[in-house]
């Protein structure tokens, strides 16, 4: 079959009940057959790149019972020294992009992670990114929104306990992430998150528990499970529906990839903040935001509820206002947005299924592209907002 041509292949051996997928012959041959994790067969091994950014997975606590007040400072080699043998699963290379608690991931580090991934996509079969869990869902959303990795798995991984604690979850999470990134079944699924035996969609995943091992949760986000060296996906490969892709303008005037110093000027992220709704909230803070920011996300009560006075102020704001939600689950329907006398929602836009922190990143990317208000609405309509 000529290279690049499309063929229909089954996803599983059972032809009678199998799902069919369309893929080009080259895509299939691009990933060497993965080895069953935990076995010793030696076939051609996938090449995996690990990009380290820090987080609890790379931290040390004061004692084996301490799970708070830890320091982030372990290099990736130390993390790899603590996991089961992967020599039969893949060939690994790694790069330490930074080593911070994810509270300190800022726009420059987001761009550094973006560039590290784009560079690695050219020559690796899978990418693993170690990252703090506190803001992992934001970085994963940003990556899914700005990089089309094609068939190459991008797997984020973190941990809830420091490396020094008894029953630390980091080593098994990292081992699973490497196996997931090495497995051909992970191809064509976009950005994935590996934590606590679950395989989730980076686009939708969110941190729902500040402390426990099963910290990440979300209805749209579970794609599979890792059990006893087996990777079980629940669906055939697919990517988040309605995810709008942005091409970051990192090239400088000469068309080459901008270096660190120019990246900041070329991709200065628009200023967008998040306001948390609460009883008795007034428009005071929004007045400040209206003058100092380019956009705002409001974490509304319920499914878009805000006091009448705040709604009235938002309808007169000159910047885009995204109505998102305080609650972890659910969505903001357009029908719940405030309207003016003519029935217009003015600058107010519903976030659909996106939580406030993901809505903020999506609005920043829209504003960086100088999207009109209607174009911003169309982007949020991809996740049933708008
Ligand atoms: N579990 C973690 O990784 C939390 C840590 N504070 C971080 O986000 O870097």
């Amino acid at each position: 079959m000529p290279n690049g041509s499309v063929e229909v292949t089954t996803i599983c051996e059972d032809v009678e009940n199998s799902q069919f997928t369309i893929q080009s012959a080259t895509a299939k041959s691009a990933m060497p057959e993965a080895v069953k994790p935990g076995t010793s067969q030696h076939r051609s091994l996938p090449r995996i790149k690990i990009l380290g950014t820090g987080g609890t997975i790379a931290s040390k606590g004061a004692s084996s019972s301490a799970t708070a007040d830890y320091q982030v400072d372990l290099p990736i080699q130390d993390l790899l020294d603590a996991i089961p043998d992967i020599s039969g699963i893949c060939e690994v290379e790694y790069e330490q992009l930074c080593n911070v608690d994810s509270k300190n991931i800022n726009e420059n580090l987001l761009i550094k992670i973006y560039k590290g991934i784009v560079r690695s996509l050219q020559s690796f079969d899978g990418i693993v990114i170690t990252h703090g869990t506190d803001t992992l869902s934001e970085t994963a959303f940003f990556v899914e929104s700005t990089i089309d990795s094609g068939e190459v798995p991008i797997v984020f991984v973190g941990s809830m306990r420091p490396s020094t604690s008894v029953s630390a979850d980091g080593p098994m999470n990292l081992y699973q992430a490497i196996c997931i990134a090495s497995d051909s079944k992970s191809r064509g699924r976009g950005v994935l998150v590996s934590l606590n035996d679950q395989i989730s969609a980076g686009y939708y995943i969110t941190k729902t528990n500040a402390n426990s091992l099963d910290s990440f949760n979300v209805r749209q986000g579970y794609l599979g499970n890792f059990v006893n060296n087996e990777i079980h996906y629940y669906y055939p490969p697919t990517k988040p529906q309605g995810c709008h892709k942005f091409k970051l303008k990192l090239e400088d005037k000469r068309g080459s990839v901008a270096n660190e110093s120019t990246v900041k000027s070329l991709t200065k992220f628009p200023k967008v903040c998040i306001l948390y709704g609460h009883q008795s909230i007034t428009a005071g803070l929004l007045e400040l935001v209206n003058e100092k920011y380019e956009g705002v996300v409001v974490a509304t009560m319920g499914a878009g509820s805000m006091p009448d006075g705040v709604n009235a102020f938002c309808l007169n704001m000159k910047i885009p206002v995204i109505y998102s939600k305080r609650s972890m689950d659910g969505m903001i329907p357009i029908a719940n947005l405030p309207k003016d006398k003519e029935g217009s929602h003015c600058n107010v836009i519903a976030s659909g299924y996106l939580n406030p922190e993901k809505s903020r990143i999506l609005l920043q990317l829209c504003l960086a592209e100088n999207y009109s208000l209607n174009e911003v609405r169309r982007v949020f309509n991809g996740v049933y907002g708008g």
Side-chain angles (χ1 to χ4, degrees), residues 18 72 87 97 113 126 158 172 182 244 273 284 291 313 325 327 355 375 380:
S18 78
V72 176
S87 60
L97 296 179
I113 293 167
M172 180 54 96
S182 304
H244 188 87
C273 65
E291 298 310 318
F313 186 87
K325 58 217 170 54
S327 45
N355 64 23
E375 285 169 324
F380 276 90

Side-chain angles (χ1 to χ4, degrees), residues 258-280:
N259 61 39
E260 298 303 331
S261 59
T262 52
V263 154
K264 218 160 108 187
S265 59
L266 287 178
T267 52
K268 180 168 174 5
F269 284 53
K271 280 180 69 179
V272 176
C273 65
I274 299 173
L275 290 188
Y276 198 85
H278 56 78
Q279 286 183 344
S280 313

Side-chain angles (χ1 to χ4, degrees), residues 55-57 70 100-103 131-135 159-160 207:
T56 299
I57 194 169
Y70 39 72
V100 298
D101 184 295
S102 71
K103 67 189 175 190
H131 194 292
T133 62
D134 289 352
T135 67
S159 76
M160 293 303 291
K207 183 162 185 170

